[in-house]
């Protein structure tokens, strides 16, 4: 089959599986990353570019990803359809690039096609594509594959231009997601197979030279890793060793390495969140998983001369998972489907070239393998097609997650949010109480329950929940903002102002806190400060009707009628409530 026909086939299959994604909405962390992120919602601006390169928002430093989200808004507006389409296009480009890189490196078009198909339609990869906030996966992988393609050209005809292109693509990939820090090792693996540059004789480059070639790339990796750790420390995302001891982390890592392979072979029970359970870290499962990992490593190493693709695929898998396997624990998840987006390329390559080797023995094995491969692709495509609508909205996603991964406190949190959005406050309260039963130290859980209690008029109980959230994490800005509002409603204005100030010191971009702070300042006669905070609230969230009404009323009372009229007109034409406030 000609190359163009293969590319059309890959594009058609990928599009058929993912096209329904265009009907999905914002889910999960999209609320904070995109939907209510004031910097993103302004589109691509000079101030947005500065913010993207200087912020550690949500414990991340990935400026290129932020810029891509801003560009979405500039091109398509604030809705989810455009970002979903961009994610789909990036995934399709990655699929085609993966095929091109493998075919160029191995001259094996059919094996390369099968690997690309597995990558394109595997259900584990749906999360990276269907979740808008995971733009960093598909975007960074684009530059990873471009870097691999550039390295392939450099390996065949060493010249500074192709080497420089590899460095540039790698740097851009790191600016999209720092998980790419392992690229220098991947290039070294590729030098051994399929490029054959580490052969002890012939035209292969010596190992010492191959390592020296990777040193500039290694410096980029070290720099990116340092910035990432700093971002996660400042954002409070790094989990303390006291909470998850090293034994628990190692146990979870071993189990995750094996469970990802199991899910790759039999993808069922997939969840948007898998809770970390350190109390069960060292079990027979962990010892068994560790034994399997050791056996696979030893086995592929011993088979390296006759079947080098096995060692390549296995090392690719082991190494690319290291940044997210939990040795440095970020967040409370034990694993995540999105973490397999790049790592599974290794097992796909190892399995495919292994099957091709068997098929080369005769017509019978070749026909059997072709039938097996076709059945596998059809089954995986069907499973992925079922997984895409799971990401339609939070209610669908977390109802599914709650069933797929029991004791799922994150699912309870988002179901509580969704029930509150739908006006089903009692159901929302039940979800939050279940959340706190499963995770008593959940800061967001206490804050969310406090919001619901405040909305139902139970201000004293709400204040207690906000205070508990602050006790657990004094840097959790929304709890300070919410406690400030409760104090303002009960006439304790000095305490309210103090908590508003703390909230904005921690997160200056909370538009609803600026709005509520302004109201408190007006009540104590600090009028000019109130006007400034109303203006800042509207700068962050121009569609906030309540802030327009508040500022218009204040300006009207001050006799500034023309300015007031503009805000009253804006309020009449827009209707965003202030998010997060009780």
């Amino acid at each position: 089959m000609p190359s163009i026909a293969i590319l059309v086939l890959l594009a058609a299959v990928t599009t058929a599986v993912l096209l329904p994604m265009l009907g999905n909405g914002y889910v999960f962390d999209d609320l904070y990353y995109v939907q209510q992120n004031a910097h993103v919602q302004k589109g691509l601006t000079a101030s947005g570019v500065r913010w993207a390169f200087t912020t550690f928002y949500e414990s991340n430093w990935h400026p290129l990803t932020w810029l891509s989200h801003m560009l979405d808004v500039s091109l398509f507006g604030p809705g989810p359809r455009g970002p979903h389409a961009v994610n789909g296009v990036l995934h399709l480009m990655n699929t085609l690039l993966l095929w091109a890189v493998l075919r160029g490196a191995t001259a094996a078009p059919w094996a390369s096609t099968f690997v690309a198909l597995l990558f394109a339609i595997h259900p584990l990869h749906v999360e990276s594509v269907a979740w808008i906030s995971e733009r960093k996966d598909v975007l960074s992988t684009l530059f990873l594959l471009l870097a691999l393609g550039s390295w392939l050209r450099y390996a065949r005809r060493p010249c500074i231009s192709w080497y420089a292109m590899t460095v540039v693509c790698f740097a851009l990939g790191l600016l999209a997601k720092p998980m790419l820090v392992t690229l220098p090792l991947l290039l070294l693996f590729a030098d051994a197979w399929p490029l054959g540059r580490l052969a002890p004789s012939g035209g292969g480059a010596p190992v010492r030279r191959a390592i020296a070639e990777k040193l500039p790339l290694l410096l980029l990796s070290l720099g990116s890793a340092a910035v990432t750790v700093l971002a996660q420390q400042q954002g409070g995302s790094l989990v303390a060793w006291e909470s998850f001891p090293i034994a628990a982390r190692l146990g979870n890592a071993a189990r995750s390495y094996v469970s990802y392979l199991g899910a790759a072979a039999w993808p069922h029970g997939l969840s948007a969140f898998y809770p970390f359970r350190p109390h069960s870290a060292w079990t027979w499962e962990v010892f068994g998983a560790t034994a399997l990992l050791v056996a696979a490593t030893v086995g592929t190493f011993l088979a390296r001369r006759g079947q080098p693709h096995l060692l390549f695929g296995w090392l690719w898998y082991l190494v690319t998972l290291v940044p997210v396997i939990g040795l440095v624990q970020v967040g409370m998840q034990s694993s995540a489907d999105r973490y397999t987006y790049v790592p599974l390329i290794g097992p796909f390559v190892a399995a495919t070239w292994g099957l091709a080797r068997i098929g080369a023995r005769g017509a019978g094995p070749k026909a059997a393998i072709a039938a097996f491969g076709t059945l596998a692709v059809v089954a995986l495509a069907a499973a992925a097609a079922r997984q895409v609508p799971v990401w339609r909205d939070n209610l669908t996603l977390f109802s599914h997650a709650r069933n797929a991964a029991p004791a799922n406190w994150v699912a309870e949190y988002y179901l509580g949010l969704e029930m509150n959005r739908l006006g089903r406050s009692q159901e929302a309260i039940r979800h939050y109480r279940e959340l706190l039963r499963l995770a008593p130290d959940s800061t967001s859980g206490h804050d969310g329950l406090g919001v619901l209690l405040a909305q139902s008029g139970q201000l004293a109980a709400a204040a207690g929940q906000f205070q508990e959230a602050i006790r657990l994490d004094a840097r959790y800005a929304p709890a300070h903002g919410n406690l400030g509002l409760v104090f303002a409603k009960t006439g304790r204005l000095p305490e309210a102002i103090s908590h508003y100030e703390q909230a904005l010191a921690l997160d200056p971009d909370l538009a609803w806190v600026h709005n509520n702070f302004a109201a408190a300042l007006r009540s104590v006669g600090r009028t000019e400060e109130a006007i400034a905070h109303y203006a800042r609230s509207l700068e962050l969230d121009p569609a906030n009707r309540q802030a327009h009404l508040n500022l218009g009323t204040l300006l009207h009372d001050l006799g500034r009628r023309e300015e007031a009229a503009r805000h009253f007109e804006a309020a009449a034409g827009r209707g965003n409530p202030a998010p997060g406030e009780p």
Side-chain angles (χ1 to χ4, degrees):
M1 184 183 292
S3 296
I4 188 66
I6 292 176
L7 294 175
V8 169
L9 170 68
L10 291 172
V13 172
T14 305
T15 302
V17 170
L18 294 177
L19 191 61
M21 182 179 71
L22 295 180
N24 291 359
Y26 289 118
V27 294
F28 213 167
D29 286 349
D30 291 341
L31 180 71
Y32 314 109
Y33 270 81
V34 179
Q35 192 178 8
Q36 289 180 2
N37 185 316
H39 300 281
V40 168
Q41 289 302 312
K42 290 177 183 177
L44 194 57
T45 63
S47 62
V49 173
R50 286 194 299 271
W51 178 82
F53 278 91
T54 57
T55 186
F56 286 162
Y57 183 70
E58 291 293 314
S59 302
N60 287 303
W61 189 75
H62 43 48
L64 197 60
T65 296
W66 288 126
L67 295 180
S68 76
H69 287 309
M70 294 172 189
L71 185 60
D72 285 347
V73 175
S74 293
L75 293 176
F76 310 112
R81 191 177 184 88
H84 277 307
V86 171
N87 273 20
V89 169
L90 287 170
H91 180 62
L92 175 57
M93 292 172 65
N94 291 339
T95 299
L96 301 181
L97 274 171
L98 178 60
W99 177 84
V101 168
L102 287 174
R103 184 186 182 279
T106 65
W110 284 111
S112 302
T113 301
F114 188 62
V115 170
L117 279 171
L118 293 177
F119 176 84
I121 51 94
H122 201 285
L124 284 176
H125 291 173
V126 168
E127 180 172 307
S128 292
V129 187
W131 183 9
I132 292 171
S133 294
E134 278 309 300
R135 168 68 56 79
K136 50 186 174 283
D137 277 354
V138 290
L139 184 59
S140 64
T141 302
L142 175 71
F143 291 108
L144 168 71
L145 293 169
L146 288 172
L148 286 169
S150 300
W151 189 257
L152 172 62
R153 295 294 188 93
Y154 170 79
R156 289 183 171 167
R157 187 185 299 175
C159 66
I160 191 63
S161 58
W162 285 116
Y163 186 88
M165 181 65 71
T166 302
V167 174
V168 169
C169 289
F170 180 41
L172 291 172
L174 292 173
L175 292 176
K177 186 177 184 179
M179 185 177 168
L180 265 60
V181 292
T182 58
L183 179 67
L185 283 175
L186 302 185
L187 297 181
L188 194 61
F189 301 156
D191 282 344
W193 185 90
L195 299 179
R197 300 180 73 227
L198 303 186
S201 60
V207 173
R208 185 178 302 172
R209 177 184 169 187
I211 293 174
E213 289 172 332
K214 312 303 184 296
L215 292 179
L217 300 171
L218 181 60
L219 291 176
L220 284 176
S221 293
L222 294 174
S224 176
V227 174
T228 300
V229 170
L230 180 62
Q232 291 168 348
Q233 284 178 335
Q234 291 197 8
S237 293
L238 286 181
V239 178
W241 292 99
E242 295 79 11
S243 300
F244 291 159
I246 185 62
R249 298 178 191 225
L250 290 172
N252 183 69
R255 188 168 45 197
S256 295
Y257 268 116
V258 174
S259 66
Y260 284 140
L261 292 176
W266 188 254
H268 70 289
L270 304 183
S271 173
F273 184 82
Y274 302 97
F276 192 98
R277 299 185 180 89
H279 62 274
S280 60
W282 285 100
T283 64
W284 66 268
E285 291 180 79
V286 174
F287 287 112
T290 303
L292 284 173
L293 293 175
V294 171
T297 303
V298 172
T300 55
F301 180 78
L302 293 176
R304 69 191 184 281
R305 297 193 185 280
Q307 302 184 67
H309 53 272
L310 296 180
L311 184 60
F312 169 85
W314 184 243
L315 290 178
W316 176 294
Y317 176 69
L318 289 181
V319 167
T320 53
L321 270 175
V322 167
V324 291
I325 204 62
L327 298 179
V328 178
Q329 182 69 25
V330 178
M332 301 298 291
Q333 71 284 343
S334 63
S335 58
D337 296 347
R338 61 188 177 275
Y339 293 162
T340 69
Y341 191 69
V342 169
L344 281 183
I345 292 173
F348 291 162
V349 167
T352 299
W353 261 261
L355 289 172
R357 190 169 184 267
I358 295 172
R361 296 174 182 173
K366 184 176 293 185
I369 288 170
F372 170 77
T374 302
L375 180 62
V377 168
V378 170
L380 290 172
R386 288 194 301 271
Q387 191 68 13
V388 168
V390 168
W391 289 82
R392 180 184 299 116
D393 52 49
N394 277 333
L395 184 59
T396 304
L397 179 63
F398 288 103
S399 296
H400 178 85
R402 192 183 188 208
N403 294 327
N408 197 326
W409 61 270
V410 167
E412 300 293 346
Y413 173 76
Y414 280 96
L415 288 172
L417 278 181
E418 192 65 15
M419 292 298 108
N420 188 38
R421 187 187 68 83
L422 296 172
R424 295 154 62 175
S425 59
Q426 291 307 308
E427 291 178 72
I429 288 174
R430 284 198 293 273
H431 281 294
Y432 277 113
R433 293 201 184 281
E434 176 63 11
L435 183 167
L436 292 173
R437 185 187 71 81
L438 296 170
D441 292 341
S442 169
T443 304
S444 57
H446 285 288
D447 183 62
L449 179 58
V451 169
L452 291 168
L453 293 172
Q455 288 173 348
S456 65
Q458 302 176 59
L459 296 183
Q465 293 296 327
F466 298 138
Q467 287 165 336
E468 178 63 10
I470 292 168
R471 185 191 69 79
L472 291 167
D473 182 2
R475 297 182 56 81
Y476 191 70
H480 283 287
N482 285 324
L483 183 57
L485 185 55
V486 168
F487 283 152
K489 287 183 175 181
T490 54
R492 299 163 63 178
L493 288 175
E495 293 166 275
I497 289 172
S498 173
H499 280 285
Y500 286 144
E501 289 173 337
Q502 291 179 70
L504 294 176
L506 293 166
D507 188 350
D509 294 338
L510 292 175
W512 59 275
V513 175
H514 281 286
N515 180 51
N516 295 336
F517 189 19
L521 291 170
R522 182 186 181 188
S523 296
V524 297
R526 294 160 63 178
T527 306
E528 291 304 318
E529 292 177 76
I531 292 173
H533 281 283
Y534 279 135
R536 179 57 178 158
S537 178
L538 289 170
E539 182 184 348
L540 292 166
D541 184 8
N544 188 336
R545 184 180 59 145
Q546 189 60 53
H548 278 293
L549 285 171
N550 291 343
L551 181 54
T553 301
L554 176 55
L555 292 171
H556 183 274
D557 292 347
L558 293 173
R560 296 159 63 172
R561 305 289 173 83
E562 291 184 8
E563 295 176 73
R566 288 196 295 271
H567 287 288
F568 289 143
E569 289 171 4
R574 294 164 175 168
N576 266 13
E581 63 180 87

